[in-house]
Amino acid sequence: MPALLASIECASHVHLIVGHNPLASARVSRSLELGAQVKLLAPGGADMHYALKQKIDDGEIEWVKKDVLTVEDLTTLGRPEVDGVVDAVFVTLPVGCAQNPRISALCKKLRIPVNVADSPSLCTFTLLSTYSDGPLQIGVTTSGRGCKLASRIRREIVSTLPPNIGSACERLGKLRRRIWEEDFANTTASTSSGLEVEVGGALLAFDEDDDLGQKSTFNKLVTQDDYEAAKSRRIRWLSQICEYWPLEKLCNVAEQDIDGLLRDYSAEHGNSNITTGLVPSPPGSSRIYLVGSGPGHPDLLTTASLKAIQSADLILADKLVPSAVLSLVPRRTPIHIARKFPGNADAAQEELLELGLAALKEGKRVIRLKQGDPYIYGRGAEEYDFFTLRGYGPVVVVPGITSALSAPLFAAIPATHRGVADQVLIVTGTGRKGEAPEMPEYVKSRTTVFLMALHRLGALVESLVVGKRWPKELPCAVVERASCKDQRVIRSTLEGVVAAVEVEGSRPPGLLVVGWACGAWVVEEGFREF
């Protein structure tokens, strides 16, 4: 069975380390790094490892001179606030030592976490192969099956990270704290789980568990009239940045850029600092391309799309274009990622148009990079008209594979199937200004794909089942991040899909496929490569 992985705050905890060998020295050093009080239990006449002896002489650790650990040691050497019980025990004695199972049994009886070197069956916790960079910590475990392999996997993971990722975590954490203090200074309540405030009927927490992922309300619509929910816009905007910007871009945000990011947010039509430094192009070479980037996997880009991306002077990208596609952009080419989030879509769209227009006036070759296909709910026609009316036509439109048709395929759902489904309907779940569009009538032989619908899934399902009398037992599937490595498929029915998404959380972008061609609440992780 897999184990629960957790990050434990060890400052001021008492760690009891049994042994006096090099491994004991390593355990001592790590515990001291974490701020723990270390007590070393070893015989009085032990041939102490030189590093341990130095720490004892310097007063960094306490030497408990005993041959055998007892219950009294476990219950008296700890902190007064926990009645003297030690917080954790690390046993570094040789494998097969008679003391190992006895110490393990004593600790388990007292519910003290215990780790016995190279003896997984005697441990209540194991130590991970770790990497630390400031506030960022990465740990890998093979559950005792092979620590050397865990170390190799950890190195492989770390090698894919951009430099300064830890500093980026620190800076973005400061930005989050600043936004929180400015926007919720008068409404924040302190709870047992940290700082929380109620926004739009939901609790928004400052300190969130790292394992929670995105909640089902991540992309919930915020209207201009919803004052309370509007307070959370900057926090949600920052969450969108952390979710959608490539890691390399996040790592390049310097301390001095934080004020600029906040100014860019406030000045909805202002230029972003990130798009400065455009490479000059010859006069008269300006041209605008509306390019579809496909559902997400870079191998699904068309050759025309890739050529356009690699020849651009400026990329104006949807926030949903994944980092795997953005990584194909030459390093010299500046990228501006749309600051679209629920409640700010129109302002962010206008900003992109103005940025594109300014670059075209400078003779730039501008690529408007869109998720999926530019004309399938991508506002491509509006952008075509915008630039054409201002004298920058003809606009070049490069098609892309739409997720509306490819996502069902990646989820093993045949959009059409003889005797089951003979037609496909693509519907938006969100109309202009966030209004709910008119829902289609139920047709048994039809597969319906709803785009931009998951943020209002409950209302959509209600309008289908109650308003249009769609059968509640009708199979459906939520397909998220189609074709990406972290693709996820949640299979359910109209009756159960809202509860399923609320439990599993949100992993945008996603869409809803409804119809008898869908095949039960099942969550399927991962994408099988081509």
Side-chain angles (χ1 to χ4, degrees):
M1 295 291 291
L4 174 66
L5 303 183
S7 176
I8 301 173
E9 175 59 57
C10 296
S12 79
H13 283 199
V14 173
H15 288 179
L16 181 60
I17 297 174
V18 182
H20 52 88
N21 52 23
L23 179 58
S25 178
R27 294 283 190 264
V28 166
S29 296
R30 184 58 177 153
S31 292
L32 289 175
E33 289 175 10
L34 299 174
Q37 303 174 50
V38 178
K39 299 188 178 183
L40 182 75
L41 190 143
D47 184 14
M48 193 71 64
H49 185 266
Y50 70 91
L52 290 174
K53 187 177 185 304
Q54 184 67 49
K55 288 182 172 61
I56 293 171
D57 292 343
D58 292 343
E60 294 184 65
I61 63 176
E62 177 185 341
W63 183 7
V64 181
K65 299 179 180 180
K66 296 187 67 173
D67 293 339
V68 178
L69 181 141
T70 65
V71 172
E72 183 181 7
D73 299 323
L74 296 173
T75 57
T76 60
L77 294 175
R79 297 172 290 149
E81 54 265 40
V82 291
D83 297 330
V85 179
V86 299
D87 294 289
V89 174
F90 300 83
V91 182
T92 66
L93 301 176
V95 176
C97 177
Q99 289 196 57
N100 289 349
R102 189 182 65 82
I103 294 174
S104 174
L106 289 176
C107 290
K108 290 177 179 178
K109 185 175 182 179
L110 295 171
R111 304 181 73 178
I112 298 173
V114 59
N115 176 270
V116 182
D118 297 324
S119 302
S121 63
L122 300 180
C123 300
T124 59
F125 73 96
T126 57
L127 299 174
L128 281 60
S129 176
T130 60
Y131 167 80
S132 299
D133 182 2
L136 173 67
Q137 289 185 291
I138 297 173
V140 176
T141 179
T142 58
S143 302
R145 271 58 169 188
C147 61
K148 299 302 181 184
L149 181 57
S151 179
R152 165 72 187 281
I153 294 171
R154 184 255 304 163
R155 294 196 307 271
E156 291 288 336
I157 293 173
V158 171
S159 69
T160 66
L161 297 175
N164 304 319
I165 184 69
S167 299
C169 293
E170 189 72 47
R171 288 190 294 270
L172 290 168
K174 289 181 181 178
L175 180 55
R176 179 176 173 81
R177 167 67 72 173
R178 177 173 169 182
I179 291 173
W180 186 275
E181 290 175 347
E182 291 177 1
D183 291 359
F184 301 108
N186 300 320
T187 55
T188 301
S190 179
T191 70
S192 60
S193 60
L195 299 176
E196 290 185 342
V197 65
E198 186 170 340
V199 176
L203 279 179
L204 186 67
F206 174 76
D207 298 307
E208 298 178 327
D209 285 345
D210 290 332
D211 73 325
L212 293 180
Q214 298 295 355
K215 299 178 181 178
S216 61
T217 56
F218 178 56
N219 274 331
K220 180 180 178 182
L221 182 67
V222 178
T223 63
Q224 296 292 340
D225 297 329
D226 192 347
Y227 172 74
E228 288 301 319
K231 289 181 180 179
S232 70
R233 280 194 178 130
R234 291 207 301 175
I235 282 288
R236 296 175 69 180
W237 163 73
L238 181 59
S239 296
Q240 301 267 349
I241 285 178
C242 293
E243 182 70 30
Y244 296 120
W245 280 23
L247 287 178
E248 291 81 0
K249 191 182 187 76
L250 288 173
C251 290
N252 288 330
V253 176
E255 290 280 356
Q256 58 268 30
D257 294 330
I258 290 180
D259 286 337
L261 282 172
L262 292 176
R263 283 196 304 270
D264 287 343
Y265 172 87
S266 301
E268 294 177 339
H269 307 298
N271 288 347
S272 168
N273 293 338
I274 299 166
T275 58
T276 58
L278 299 183
V279 179
S281 296
S285 64
S286 61
R287 197 156 195 187
I288 178 74
Y289 293 73
L290 307 182
V291 178
S293 66
H297 198 292
D299 287 352
L300 296 175
L301 280 170
T302 65
T303 303
S305 294
L306 182 58
K307 287 181 177 178
I309 290 171
Q310 294 181 336
S311 64
D313 295 318
L314 170 64
I315 301 285
L316 303 175
D318 284 347
K319 71 174 187 182
L320 297 180
V321 176
S323 58
V325 172
L326 293 178
S327 67
L328 300 174
V329 177
R331 294 183 63 183
R332 66 172 177 80
T333 307
I335 304 172
H336 179 89
I337 299 175
R339 288 193 288 269
K340 290 186 179 181
F341 58 89
N344 188 57
D346 288 341
Q349 177 70 8
E350 290 178 15
E351 179 188 37
L352 285 181
L353 294 176
E354 293 301 327
L355 286 171
L357 190 59
L360 288 170
K361 290 177 179 178
E362 296 177 6
K364 309 300 179 186
R365 185 184 181 98
V366 180
I367 304 301
R368 178 67 178 92
L369 190 60
K370 293 176 166 292
Q371 179 79 342
D373 183 88
Y375 279 0
I376 304 296
Y377 295 115
R379 303 181 76 162
E382 298 174 28
E383 296 182 15
Y384 187 102
D385 290 342
F386 177 88
F387 291 111
T388 300
L389 291 173
R390 285 157 180 79
Y392 291 99
V395 177
V396 179
V397 182
V398 181
I401 298 174
T402 174
S403 61
L405 298 179
S406 60
L409 182 151
F410 297 131
I413 298 171
T416 63
H417 185 49
R418 184 177 299 182
V420 179
D422 58 14
Q423 53 187 279
V424 182
L425 179 64
I426 303 173
V427 183
T428 179
T430 304
R432 292 179 63 86
K433 304 296 183 182
E435 295 295 328
E438 178 68 20
M439 289 294 104
E441 300 294 332
Y442 171 65
V443 177
K444 185 177 181 179
S445 62
R446 173 191 292 162
T447 300
T448 307
V449 181
F450 293 92
L451 303 178
M452 302 178 294
L454 298 186
H455 64 279
R456 55 178 303 271
L457 184 60
L460 183 143
V461 170
E462 182 179 5
S463 66
L464 293 177
V465 174
V466 178
K468 296 295 184 178
R469 299 187 179 278
W470 288 41
K472 60 184 181 181
E473 67 275 12
L474 188 62
C476 64
V478 172
V479 186
E480 298 172 303
R481 301 197 184 189
S483 80
C484 295
K485 290 184 178 180
D486 56 348
Q487 172 181 302
R488 181 172 67 176
V489 182
I490 303 176
R491 301 185 191 275
S492 185
T493 62
L494 284 181
E495 184 178 30
V497 68
V498 175
V501 172
E502 286 178 353
V503 170
E504 299 298 334
S506 176
R507 191 181 293 178
L511 51 77
L512 176 67
V513 187
V514 184
W516 295 106
C518 300
W521 179 346
V522 177
V523 178
E524 299 171 359
E525 295 275 2
F527 170 68
R528 289 182 288 274
E529 296 286 341
F530 302 109

